[in-house]
Amino acid sequence: MDQITPYCPQFQDAMEVLGRRWTGAIVRAMLAGRTRFSELTETIPDLTDRLLSIRLKELESEGIVTRHVEPTRPVRIEYRLTNKGRELADVVTLLGDWAHRHSTPEQKAAYAAAKAAEAAESEATEPARQS
């Protein structure tokens, strides 16, 4: 793309898909390796099971996510990004960088606290995994 035009219908369509509440967070979590429904709800605060289910179906219908069912007992379901979904990695990274540069001191403090809590939780579960 050489020049930004005032309006682009493809851009508008993409923004309407990715701009829905929680969709960006879901794609980001999946780019970070989260594939199970429970992993996504644990990773993304305040995301309800119902809304996650709706968003995953939307992403699947857009060809961004695929649903894989492992016929084990119990059944194991994983959601994976398609090539189309993985191509969003640069966009997600650039938007995240932009957001960090322009966040308020309060947002930066909340982010630091969340990262510290995540690290503490990870340390607490690590000895259990090694046992």
Side-chain angles (χ1 to χ4, degrees):
M1 183 170 82
D2 296 326
Q3 181 181 351
I4 294 180
T5 59
Y7 178 76
C8 173
Q10 292 85 3
F11 176 84
Q12 184 62 32
D13 290 344
M15 288 301 295
E16 290 196 16
V17 170
L18 297 174
R20 289 186 183 112
R21 186 168 187 176
W22 301 114
T23 301
I26 294 165
V27 170
R28 182 183 174 102
M30 293 183 77
L31 285 165
R34 306 303 188 270
T35 60
R36 308 277 316 274
F37 192 94
S38 60
E39 291 174 329
L40 292 166
T41 56
E42 289 168 9
T43 300
I44 305 168
D46 302 324
L47 175 60
T48 65
D49 290 356
R50 181 179 177 276
L51 194 50
L52 176 57
S53 180
I54 290 168
R55 292 298 182 256
L56 287 169
K57 287 176 185 171
E58 290 170 351
L59 289 167
E60 190 174 6
S61 73
E62 291 290 336
I64 295 170
V65 168
T66 58
R67 184 176 188 261
H68 295 272
V69 179
E70 297 287 330
T72 58
R73 287 198 120 160
V75 172
R76 181 180 172 98
I77 299 172
E78 290 189 351
Y79 296 88
R80 299 179 188 152
L81 291 169
T82 62
N83 288 336
K84 181 179 178 180
R86 286 189 297 276
E87 286 180 17
L88 291 168
D90 290 342
V91 173
V92 169
T93 299
L94 287 170
L95 188 56
D97 291 347
W98 176 86
H100 283 282
R101 282 193 308 275
H102 298 285
S103 61
T104 66
E106 294 81 12
Q107 291 168 323
K108 289 178 181 174
Y111 177 77
K115 290 299 282 182
E118 184 180 299
E121 182 179 318
S122 185
E123 286 179 17
T125 58
E126 191 61 33
R129 289 183 190 158
Q130 292 176 353
S131 299

